Amino acid sequence: MVYKAEYIWIDGTEPVAKLRSKTKIIANGVEPGLWGFDGSSTSQAEGHSSDRVLQPVASYPDPIRGGDNLLVLCEVLNIDGTPHRSNTRALLRPIAERYAAQEPLFGIEQEYTFFQGHRPLGFPDSGYPAPQGSYYCGVGAGDIHGRAVVEEHLDNCLAAGLSISGINAEVMPGQWEFQVGPLSPLEVADQLWVARWLLHRTAEDAGITVTLDAKPAKGDWNGAGAHTNFSTRAMREGYDAIIEACESLGRDDKPLEHIRSYGAGVESRLTGAHETAPWNEYSYGVSNRGASVRIPWQVEVDKKGYIEDRRPNANVDPYVVTALMVDTCCAALEKANLG
Ligand code: ADP
Ligand code: MN
Ligand code: MN
Ligand code: MN
């Protein structure tokens, strides 16, 4: 007997990489092994030397096909076994390992927008829906668009064993959110990519497309972010570490270094309006949804917990944002003897 392994990888499309996948039939009892693909069709190679290698790094039960079938997340390698330049997971690995003793955890809030044709789902064919106000966490066909796909995606993620912590309807019609975590840096980023693949795949059957575009509707409509919640053991145990993490993100050239890697079009979303801070000014504050980094009110009450970096775009690469946050915050915490 055999099973189907859906090999999933991240391509070389710029400025925002896309997900790709293909199916391998494998004999029962045999683990998914190395495989190849045509990198010249995914912006990962030239035609004259086009072979690239898929290295399985994590497997999940396939909720679409069921049975013994698997979703197999892969890193992309060159044929000499070195990581391909599009392989950002390989850059996160050593950083996660270097600071593993601080036990960093992440919870990422993935916002996204459904589209039907060229308009967000729920937008009329011409003109605009009623202004924002009643869509966020709303109920009823007047305010809510696409819930059937959202529910099916949630069930698919749970059946795949992903650590989804919740879902909600967002501020703009057709806009939704799910959260992954809290998990270690590699786990949260792997699971977020697989949850994204499942989202595109689930919506595909309904004839709906999904965009992670940071500003899918121009004008007075909220953008789409990927708020990144972060803690280390010291932050989960005390407030000095919470403050040091917030301070470290504002030091020297850190604000710009982070912003540059927080997703394509981040300036168009971080305008200072629509619950964002301006992209070129770093700030942090308790309960402040207009700050770059928010300390949740409960964290201030408890004097321990986690912080929320509100700047990353919906289209951010989770391998990149987690690597940057661990590198910046954990190095500072170690230096301040809070590691
Ligand atoms: P918001 O109020 O900003 O909408 P959400 O409830 O959508 O917040 O998301 C909060 C996220 O924070 C969840 O993904 C949750 O798993 C994560 N989280 C909770 N505790 C921690 C922690 N100690 N470290 C990191 N992430 C955490
Ligand atoms: Mn949220
Ligand atoms: Mn949100
Ligand atoms: Mn948030």
Side-chain angles (χ1 to χ4, degrees):
M1 288 296 288
V2 296
Y3 69 95
K4 300 168 196 160
E6 190 71 9
Y7 278 57
I8 299 173
W9 75 98
I10 298 147
D11 78 1
T13 305
E14 294 192 5
V16 182
K18 296 176 87 108
L19 283 157
R20 308 276 180 149
S21 73
K22 59 176 184 159
T23 309
K24 186 175 194 172
I25 306 301
I26 302 180
N28 280 354
V30 177
E31 300 273 306
L34 292 181
W35 202 16
F37 70 100
D38 168 15
S40 70
S41 298
T42 62
S43 305
Q44 285 166 309
E46 304 295 325
H48 56 84
S49 167
S50 63
D51 285 341
R52 291 292 175 261
V53 176
L54 295 173
Q55 158 101 67
V57 293
S59 310
Y60 310 86
D62 182 344
I64 309 271
R65 289 174 169 148
D68 291 334
N69 303 306
L70 293 178
L71 302 179
V72 180
L73 182 68
C74 299
E75 281 191 29
V76 175
L77 309 180
N78 301 307
I79 49 173
D80 64 2
T82 56
H84 185 259
R85 62 181 154 68
S86 62
N87 180 351
T88 50
R89 189 180 190 278
L91 303 176
L92 169 60
R93 275 193 272 115
I95 294 170
E97 200 172 310
R98 162 81 175 77
Y99 294 107
Q102 292 195 33
E103 296 170 31
L105 289 179
F106 286 91
I108 301 182
E109 303 167 50
Q110 176 70 66
E111 294 179 341
Y112 60 92
T113 311
F114 286 136
F115 265 65
Q116 198 141 45
H118 294 289
R119 309 220 82 196
L121 190 66
F123 276 47
D125 289 340
S126 60
Y128 288 92
Q132 295 182 161
S134 56
Y135 306 112
Y136 172 75
C137 298
V139 63
D143 287 329
I144 290 300
H145 307 276
R147 195 189 296 274
V149 175
V150 171
E151 290 288 329
E152 199 181 333
H153 172 249
L154 176 60
D155 286 342
N156 284 339
C157 287
L158 295 175
L162 305 186
S163 294
I164 303 292
S165 68
I167 57 170
N168 60 269
E170 270 301 338
V171 175
M172 190 182 92
Q175 201 177 53
W176 294 83
E177 168 180 317
F178 64 86
Q179 303 105 31
V180 183
L183 290 167
S184 72
L186 277 168
E187 285 173 318
V188 80
D190 286 348
Q191 291 197 19
L192 182 54
W193 276 115
V194 173
R196 285 174 175 178
W197 186 88
L198 280 169
L199 182 58
H200 291 292
R201 178 66 190 80
T202 306
E204 177 187 314
D205 284 349
I208 290 173
T209 55
V210 176
T211 181
L212 303 187
D213 195 297
K215 200 73 186 174
K218 308 299 163 220
D220 204 13
W221 302 99
N222 270 41
H227 297 166
T228 301
N229 300 273
F230 169 70
S231 66
T232 63
R233 186 164 27 82
M235 293 164 71
R236 294 188 291 275
E237 289 172 356
Y239 208 59
D240 288 351
I242 294 278
I243 297 299
E244 178 57 22
C246 293
E247 287 284 333
S248 71
L249 290 165
R251 255 175 226 141
D252 308 323
D253 51 1
K254 288 298 175 191
L256 264 185
E257 184 190 336
H258 280 246
I259 280 290
R260 270 199 297 267
S261 296
Y262 275 11
V266 75
E267 300 90 343
S268 71
R269 177 176 143 263
L270 299 182
T271 57
H274 303 113
E275 303 176 64
T276 68
W279 68 271
N280 55 354
E281 282 171 37
Y282 176 80
S283 60
Y284 70 90
V286 175
S287 281
N288 187 354
R289 288 174 198 270
S292 316
V293 171
R294 176 175 69 106
I295 301 174
W297 67 272
Q298 188 68 50
V299 173
E300 202 210 16
V301 171
D302 297 344
K303 296 288 180 244
K304 61 182 181 182
Y306 64 97
I307 62 172
E308 176 192 47
D309 192 336
R310 300 177 57 80
R311 297 170 293 172
N313 269 356
N315 59 14
V316 78
D317 178 344
Y319 295 126
V320 172
V321 67
T322 53
L324 267 170
M325 287 185 75
V326 168
D327 201 40
T328 298
C329 298
C330 291
L333 289 164
E334 190 177 85
K335 209 166 153 194
N337 282 319
L338 291 163

